[in-house]
Amino acid sequence: MLDIPLNSINLDYVNSLPLKKQAKKTLKSSVCSPDNRGMHIGFEVESKKALSKKSKVLSSKIYEDEDISTLSPYTDRSTTVSEKSLKGLSITPEKSILGKRRAFPLMEGCNDIDNYSLLNYIHEGAYGAVYRARNNFTGKIHAIKKVKFLNEKEGFPITSLREINLLRSLNHENIINLKEVVTNKSSEEIYLVMEYAEHELRNLIQNYHYQFNISEIKCLMRQLLQAVDYLHKQGIIHRDLKTSNLLYNEKGQLKVCDFGLSRQGTNGAFTPTVVTLGYRAPEILLGSENYSSAIDMWSVGCIFAELLLGEPFFKARGEMEQIDLIFRTLGTPTTSDWPGWKDLKFAAFFEGRNYTVNTFYEIFAGLSFTGGVYLSDEGIDLLEQMFIYDPSKRITAAEALNHPWFEEGPIAKELEFMPRFPATNDTAREVSRKKLFINDNKVVNY
């Protein structure tokens, strides 16, 4: 592992390093606060001998998500390199790696987490714990994500690096805003300071049990589609759209968050281990190694259905059960509906399972008779287009925004008239009583 202080190097030095072009490009731009106040970031450098040895162990299959020839912040895997493996190279590990302690990236020059008072723990995800915090100087409330280092021997998590880089490049009213990146005094802990929203959409639907009406759903769906359209036009696939990654604030605004799985490039050979199961598109479930931004639109359809039903549309315990449930609901695809689907890796498991009855229309047309909201034929048509099997025929976000459903009555509710709720992110949702140690010395009790 090599720590390089960005505020103490010049471009000639960067160009001399034994890193790939893309890694050098990343190194030249700090992921610290926007004014580039300097940062240490871990870049792993391996000798040709080490790379040769690695190639015998790792699969020869390379996705755009992975690069097994040179490890850099753009890879999904991280391997600690010993000092011995760095012999013969023009650089050696700096003492700032902190000896035998965690080799975390050192973010010198960034603000200190002590500038914030952590008010309460909100929840913990796969890549970090989230807290509600107050800026001690401005008094403003923020959400702070503490980056989780899953393996002490590894460097800066690729998911967090991607999230920081993407959020710094994005500017949209329906996408969460990254304010700055801060550390603790020892620079061993990294925190992302983001704008605060009072709720997760999932919490309002499943725990608060609020049933949004059609005009409110139109307002939420329009905001979501605007964010997704913006991302896709920027060449970004989110790859984990779900109601728990959609925030809702007191102004009625929807905010897309959690970009740890997001990728540049709207199609290509990406890793198939993406998207939470209940929102995962059938092409991924069937093992496709080439997918596009259309997977986000399938997730958007699942979110649309969840807003209508008040619960997830497709609920299964595993991948095979999930795809079987989709086929039972929408009917088994034909080769005319989805050319080439039978050639996908796991399609053979479904030979002979011909579900011809499509229950989709019955489910959503009958909502008003079961106490739910009424979805018109235009609304059902929009939802069906999000659930088209063939990714190349699935509706895009731009097309969905122009769908007639948004023009018919009732029209989308204005933000100022959207419902307000008591803040749900001011208390922990996933613990009833827990003692949390924050920033080594601060304790919060529930």
Side-chain angles (χ1 to χ4, degrees):
M1 187 74 174
L2 178 67
D3 277 347
I4 303 170
L6 291 180
N7 56 351
S8 64
I9 61 177
N10 55 44
L11 295 184
D12 290 336
Y13 176 62
V14 173
N15 291 328
S16 71
L17 296 177
L19 300 171
K20 287 187 71 175
K21 182 178 179 181
Q22 192 173 26
K24 289 180 182 179
K25 181 179 179 181
T26 305
L27 179 56
K28 292 175 186 178
S29 60
S30 166
V31 297
C32 190
S33 52
D35 56 0
N36 294 330
R37 283 172 289 185
M39 169 183 174
H40 285 69
I41 188 162
F43 279 82
E44 299 178 11
V45 183
E46 296 186 74
S47 64
K48 290 183 179 179
K49 182 177 180 180
L51 289 174
S52 176
K53 184 177 181 180
K54 177 182 285 294
S55 66
K56 295 179 182 179
V57 179
L58 296 176
S59 167
S60 60
K61 184 70 176 178
I62 300 177
Y63 299 105
E64 287 187 22
D65 290 75
E66 304 167 334
D67 182 353
I68 62 174
S69 62
T70 300
L71 293 177
S72 75
Y74 278 83
T75 63
D76 278 330
R77 296 187 177 92
S78 184
T79 304
T80 301
V81 182
S82 66
E83 292 189 32
K84 183 178 179 181
S85 69
L86 290 171
K87 286 183 178 179
L89 298 177
S90 59
I91 47 180
T92 57
E94 292 185 355
K95 294 181 180 179
S96 60
I97 292 181
L98 305 178
K100 295 181 180 180
R101 300 179 72 185
R102 294 182 178 183
F104 292 172
L106 300 180
M107 305 185 69
E108 297 176 355
C110 289
N111 280 333
D112 197 302
I113 186 62
D114 286 340
N115 292 340
Y116 295 86
S117 295
L118 301 180
L119 304 176
N120 67 272
Y121 165 93
I122 298 177
H123 74 112
E124 186 166 348
Y127 306 113
V130 180
Y131 305 89
R132 186 173 66 102
R134 178 186 292 109
N135 186 305
N136 294 331
F137 300 101
T138 66
K140 289 184 177 180
I141 302 297
H142 297 279
I144 291 185
K145 177 191 281 190
K146 181 180 179 181
V147 175
K148 183 185 294 185
F149 292 83
L150 300 177
N151 187 329
E152 293 191 7
K153 294 182 180 180
E154 295 188 352
F156 200 99
I158 179 60
T159 53
S160 298
L161 183 64
R162 283 177 179 163
E163 183 167 27
I164 293 170
N165 284 338
L166 282 173
L167 285 175
R168 288 187 62 209
S169 70
L170 299 174
N171 181 22
H172 193 276
E173 61 184 356
N174 298 120
I175 293 175
I176 204 71
N177 179 249
L178 175 67
K179 301 296 185 180
E180 63 174 341
V181 180
V182 300
T183 70
N184 64 346
K185 283 184 171 61
S186 63
S187 295
E188 289 183 295
E189 296 175 352
I190 312 300
Y191 301 82
L192 310 187
V193 181
M194 295 172 284
E195 65 175 311
Y196 174 72
E198 286 74 15
H199 314 279
E200 280 183 5
L201 190 59
R202 175 183 180 273
N203 201 40
L204 294 177
I205 297 171
Q206 297 186 27
N207 298 334
Y208 202 82
H209 300 294
Y210 181 80
Q211 177 62 69
F212 291 94
N213 62 39
I214 285 296
S215 62
E216 293 165 351
I217 291 174
K218 282 186 178 181
C219 178
L220 293 172
M221 287 302 300
R222 176 170 285 168
Q223 293 182 76
L224 174 57
L225 287 167
Q226 286 171 344
V228 174
D229 182 43
Y230 172 79
L231 289 174
H232 291 176
K233 286 177 178 175
Q234 301 298 312
I236 297 168
I237 314 177
H238 187 280
R239 302 202 302 183
D240 199 20
L241 291 172
K242 54 184 177 180
T243 51
S244 59
N245 282 342
L246 301 179
L247 304 179
Y248 183 87
N249 67 21
E250 61 181 0
K251 297 178 181 178
Q253 289 178 310
L254 193 75
K255 302 276 186 177
V256 177
C257 68
D258 202 338
F259 285 77
L261 287 177
S262 301
R263 287 291 280 122
Q264 288 279 358
T266 53
N267 61 78
F270 302 119
T271 176
T273 54
V274 293
V275 187
T276 300
L277 183 61
Y279 305 82
R280 194 176 301 170
E283 59 265 35
I284 303 177
L285 289 166
L286 291 173
S288 175
E289 296 176 347
N290 290 275
Y291 54 82
S292 69
S293 56
I295 68 167
D296 280 348
M297 290 307 298
W298 182 277
S299 301
V300 169
C302 294
I303 293 166
F304 188 5
E306 190 170 339
L307 285 167
L308 293 162
L309 298 170
E311 61 180 4
F313 186 32
F314 297 117
K315 295 183 293 184
R317 291 169 293 183
E319 287 86 349
M320 294 299 101
E321 183 180 327
Q322 181 78 7
I323 193 65
D324 186 68
L325 177 59
I326 291 171
F327 286 175
R328 285 178 183 273
T329 305
L330 306 180
T332 305
T334 64
T335 52
S336 59
D337 293 335
W338 186 5
W341 83 271
K342 288 189 176 181
D343 298 327
L344 296 176
K345 188 183 298 184
F346 303 121
F349 288 97
F350 297 93
E351 283 195 19
R353 302 188 195 183
N354 297 316
Y355 305 124
T356 57
V357 178
N358 186 327
T359 60
F360 180 88
Y361 186 86
E362 297 174 15
I363 293 171
F364 292 98
L367 276 180
S368 59
F369 298 104
T370 59
V373 295
Y374 169 74
L375 187 63
S376 68
D377 288 344
E378 291 287 7
I380 292 173
D381 178 73
L382 174 58
L383 191 53
E384 280 187 312
Q385 290 194 53
M386 292 175 178
F387 287 137
I388 289 177
Y389 282 128
D390 187 345
S392 67
K393 298 175 183 176
R394 198 172 298 153
I395 195 170
T396 67
E399 291 168 344
L401 284 167
N402 291 316
H403 193 278
W405 181 65
F406 286 105
E407 302 303 322
E408 69 175 13
I411 61 172
K413 188 170 287 188
E414 297 294 331
L415 289 181
E416 59 184 305
F417 300 115
M418 286 294 284
R420 306 293 190 266
F421 308 92
T424 54
N425 279 343
D426 60 357
T427 56
R429 290 189 302 276
E430 298 171 8
V431 290
S432 55
R433 184 171 184 83
K434 187 175 182 180
K435 183 179 288 186
L436 297 162
F437 295 88
I438 303 172
N439 197 27
D440 298 328
N441 57 17
K442 192 172 293 186
V443 179
V444 176
N445 291 290
Y446 296 95

